[in-house]
Amino acid sequence: MGEKMANRESTLPSSGVGRDGVELQLCDVWRRLLGRDDVGIHDDFFSLGGHSLLAIKLTVEVRRLFQVDLTAADLLSAATVAELAEIVRRGTADRPGQLVRIQAGSGGSPVYALPPVSGTVLLYPPIARAMGLDQPFWAVQSIGLLPGEEPLTSLEEISEAFIEQLRTVHPEGAEWNLIGYSMGGLLAYETARRLRERGERVGLVGLLDTRITVDPGGDPDFALRALLWRGLKLELDIDWLRSLDPETRAAELVQRAVAAGTMPADFDADRLRRMIDMYQFNLDALAAYRVGSYDGTVTVFRVTDRSMEGGTLPDDLGWGEYAARAVVCDVPGDHFTMVEPGQVEVLGRRLREQLALVPGAAA
């Protein structure tokens, strides 16, 4: 990703409307997608109000204009017009694997964020910004979202693969600070266990409203429902969808989502199939996972709005039975809104406060 990333999070002026044809077109796309007139080539897409749906639309526009296929990871690694223009000029997006640097920061131990059940990392930029632009922040996305990738089948395998990737950027001698939203918290926990067993220093293990287990309730269509309601915002008959073959189902969902305005008109149905498959692969891995003991501390970021919970859960969501110590830190919102504007700012502050309690975290 190069030294050009080092100052991405700095406060840079919105200088000019583009230095060549590529930057001019990209600025125009950003203005239309973001509904802003003040887009400069050094402005960060997510800082200007970009989010996951707009990120998908941006990748579609780049493919339409320049015939360059981007992933979410590419966009997070090149979140300004100037950086994205360099990828476009090369004619292809360099694939950084699953590892994405969201913020270079200005020092201190990095925070590593592990993916939720969707496998993507687009929910983490607002959390990183809320922690402060000086905080180094990386994320990893699930294997299987890109063409030709085979998803891993167990949480243990996924954790090992993530450790291998993270070692390539982890500062020598620094403690490991791991966080994860929902399923990502289980990945953070398992990764912390494995690192600790190898004698490495583990600092913050932040579980963002993560339960010990994820129970689909015996619903074979749990993954499809999750994508429909949370991702595509569609209410469709599940029995009807189940009766369709995978190709027809994906094409139908794309058509309905386009009509509802939750997906760009030329979104690739193959990408949607991989998204659906990713949900299911991850849910299967969760169902097979057995939580082991951990001789360190975990911090459970617990939502204050628990109206969505089906029953009475302990404040620490059960983690005190497995970790040597479980700290509970209340954050506003419910399981979904805790990472959205209005709530995520508090979550970021709480994360920063807990990170500051880790010995050596600010070194």
Side-chain angles (χ1 to χ4, degrees), residues 2-75:
E3 293 299 323
K4 68 185 179 62
M5 287 282 298
N7 295 318
R8 193 186 84 183
E9 291 81 16
S10 344
T11 303
L12 293 171
S14 301
S15 55
V17 292
R19 296 170 296 188
D20 62 11
V22 172
E23 290 182 354
L24 284 168
Q25 291 181 83
L26 287 175
C27 282
D28 180 61
V29 171
W30 282 31
R31 282 192 295 271
R32 286 187 284 109
L33 290 181
L34 297 168
R36 302 179 61 118
D37 295 327
D38 57 340
V39 172
I41 61 173
H42 298 301
D43 288 330
D44 185 282
F45 180 76
F46 295 97
S47 295
L48 291 179
H51 50 72
S52 56
L53 179 59
L54 288 181
I56 293 173
K57 292 182 178 180
L58 176 56
T59 63
V60 169
E61 283 295 300
V62 168
R63 184 167 69 233
R64 181 182 66 81
L65 288 171
F66 305 108
Q67 293 74 57
V68 173
D69 220 0
L70 301 175
T71 66
D74 297 324
L75 180 55

Side-chain angles (χ1 to χ4, degrees), residues 66-244:
F66 305 108
Q67 293 74 57
V68 173
D69 220 0
L70 301 175
T71 66
D74 297 324
L75 180 55
L76 290 174
S77 298
T80 72
V81 166
E83 291 165 349
L84 197 57
E86 291 186 24
I87 292 178
V88 172
R89 293 187 196 101
R90 288 197 299 268
T92 183
D94 294 336
R95 301 296 183 205
Q98 284 67 49
L99 190 58
V100 181
R101 183 166 71 178
I102 292 178
Q103 285 184 178
S106 57
S109 297
V111 167
Y112 302 118
L114 306 184
V117 69
S118 67
T120 67
V121 297
L122 284 170
L123 69 90
Y124 286 120
I127 297 175
R129 291 197 305 276
M131 289 189 71
L133 296 181
D134 60 330
Q135 174 60 54
F137 197 108
W138 294 81
V140 281
Q141 66 179 12
S142 292
I143 299 169
L145 286 173
L146 297 177
E149 290 183 345
E150 285 295 324
L152 301 178
T153 58
S154 76
L155 231 68
E156 293 83 358
E157 283 183 303
I158 296 169
S159 175
E160 283 296 328
F162 286 167
I163 290 173
E164 182 179 347
Q165 291 241 351
L166 291 171
R167 282 197 191 282
T168 65
V169 298
H170 187 63
E172 184 176 356
E175 62 283 303
W176 293 82
N177 299 306
L178 305 158
I179 70 170
Y181 170 73
S182 198
M183 170 191 165
L186 285 162
L187 284 168
Y189 180 84
E190 179 61 25
T191 300
R193 288 184 66 250
R194 290 171 176 267
L195 290 168
R196 187 89 166 205
E197 287 172 355
R198 295 165 192 177
E200 302 201 37
R201 292 193 302 132
V202 177
L204 177 66
V205 182
L207 313 179
L208 310 188
D209 208 47
T210 298
R211 302 185 187 186
I212 293 292
T213 58
V214 175
D215 181 14
D219 181 358
D221 301 307
F222 183 83
L224 184 57
R225 291 182 198 274
L227 178 62
L228 280 179
W229 297 342
R230 183 62 181 162
L232 304 181
K233 313 293 186 187
L234 296 177
E235 294 187 13
L236 298 174
D237 184 272
I238 294 295
D239 291 333
W240 171 69
L241 282 173
R242 191 192 302 120
S243 70
L244 305 176

